[in-house]
Amino acid sequence: MTIDRRTLLGTALALPVAAAASQGAQAQTRTGMTPWPPAEHFRLWPGKAPGAPARLPTPRPEMSGNPAQPELWMRGTADPIVAVYRPERPDGRAVLSIPGGGYGFVSLENEGIDVASVLNPLGVTVFVLSYRLPGDGWANRADVPLQDAQRAMRLIRANARRYGIDPANLGVLGFSAGGHLAASLTVGHDDRIYAPVDAADRQSARPAYSGLVYPVTSLSRPGTHSGSGNNLLGPNPDEATRRRYDTPPRITGATPPLFLVHAMDDPLVPLEQSLDVLAAARAAKVPVEVHFFEKGGHGFGAKHLPETAPGRGWLRLFDLWMQPHLS
């Protein structure tokens, strides 16, 4: 049975790759399944990821979403990976793309693979993060996605020469709950939430710039997307953890430049989630660009809007905006 995304959401320096192949094997053996991972990818953790449960979750790729436009989703990630998509003519820029899914799945195709297909021809190297989900039994569940995002940024920077990128020009681009994770990385890149593993963990996890697309940003504001907050924090979270993952109050003058995209008719993540970030950025004098579209709904990603929709070209706007903010 195909499940609509809206329905579901409403309710090391050596870069080893072999152990990540199980995800790809499952993704490629089903008829019509988008191949995953691509040939070039790397694992985040040399052994088990931090806080591993006694029984690891089982990776479960599926083709879901709109029946007319199904896309690859991933659940049950035990061995998080980063997929690498290189442009033919790289210009040194790079983006870590963080798909959404309400912290209940990861929308790899719409908000990862498709993003690379648009940005690669513009010279941008794209890394797509397939992160662990907090409800799969990991210790310190709220920190699990951010552990993976921090580690991904550090490994990419540690291996920048291999990828032909400028480590100072590595940004992040997050969608929906992935937008919350990108925002959490933006304000909490230096939070100490896992023990260092190797020399790569001496690298900075700070994005050079951050794109937040129909993002969840606050888990306590009235009208927030409660599914993301419940999945991330679990039942009865302590107040300190909740405050740490309310991202607008953590924006300061040291926060990287921000780029916001939101449809005003979004039925799942209210526009106020982006407005709060805008207000905080302006108060802290952080450079911020905003694109609010009258129509578009939620989860439009890189290619799900009609060709004639004004919001269809937002990634080109992001490309133009990135360039003056690079080192």
Side-chain angles (χ1 to χ4, degrees), residues 184-228:
S184 298
L185 178 68
T186 300
V187 299
H189 54 85
D190 206 31
D191 290 0
R192 296 182 180 274
I193 52 174
Y194 69 88
V197 173
D198 52 33
D201 283 324
R202 292 198 289 267
Q203 296 283 335
S204 171
R206 182 183 185 273
Y209 45 86
S210 298
L212 308 178
V213 186
Y214 40 86
V216 177
T217 62
S218 172
L219 302 182
S220 59
R221 193 188 203 284
T224 190
H225 182 240
S226 58
S228 297

Side-chain angles (χ1 to χ4, degrees), residues 10-21:
T11 48
L13 294 176
L15 300 182
V17 300

Side-chain angles (χ1 to χ4, degrees), residues 10-197:
T11 48
L13 294 176
L15 300 182
V17 300
S22 59
Q23 283 190 7
Q26 292 191 48
Q28 294 179 55
T29 53
R30 301 183 193 177
T31 302
M33 190 73 79
T34 299
W36 179 266
E40 188 173 12
H41 63 278
F42 60 87
R43 299 174 60 216
L44 292 182
W45 309 99
K48 290 183 178 179
R55 184 173 181 176
L56 291 172
T58 301
R60 302 186 305 281
E62 60 186 55
M63 294 300 289
S64 295
N66 185 336
Q69 199 169 19
E71 60 196 51
L72 177 65
W73 291 356
M74 182 66 71
R75 306 177 193 269
T77 294
D79 192 14
I81 65 168
V82 173
V84 183
Y85 294 91
R86 298 180 186 246
E88 289 187 12
R89 291 180 289 277
D91 62 12
R93 293 179 295 162
V95 167
L96 177 66
S97 187
I98 306 182
Y103 288 124
F105 65 92
V106 181
S107 181
L108 290 172
E109 189 162 2
N110 179 39
E111 295 162 349
I113 299 170
D114 286 353
V115 172
S117 73
V118 175
L119 289 182
N120 279 171
L122 302 176
V124 183
T125 303
V126 177
F127 300 85
V128 178
L129 177 62
S130 181
Y131 52 94
R132 292 171 293 150
L133 299 170
D136 284 339
W138 307 93
N140 302 316
R141 64 182 292 160
D143 293 336
V144 163
L146 185 55
Q147 289 170 348
D148 289 350
Q150 286 186 353
R151 176 74 174 163
M153 293 291 284
R154 289 166 176 149
L155 282 171
I156 293 167
R157 281 206 168 102
N159 292 274
R161 181 175 297 179
R162 172 183 301 185
Y163 299 122
I165 66 170
D166 180 348
N169 291 344
L170 172 62
V172 67
L173 185 60
F175 302 78
S176 192
H180 180 264
L181 180 48
S184 298
L185 178 68
T186 300
V187 299
H189 54 85
D190 206 31
D191 290 0
R192 296 182 180 274
I193 52 174
Y194 69 88
V197 173

Side-chain angles (χ1 to χ4, degrees), residues 6 8 45 56 64 109 122 183 212 235 238 247 249 259 293 323:
R6 179 173 299 181
L8 182 64
W45 309 99
L56 291 172
S64 295
E109 189 162 2
L122 302 176
L212 308 178
D238 64 86
T247 60
F259 182 93
F293 299 105
Q323 298 177 35

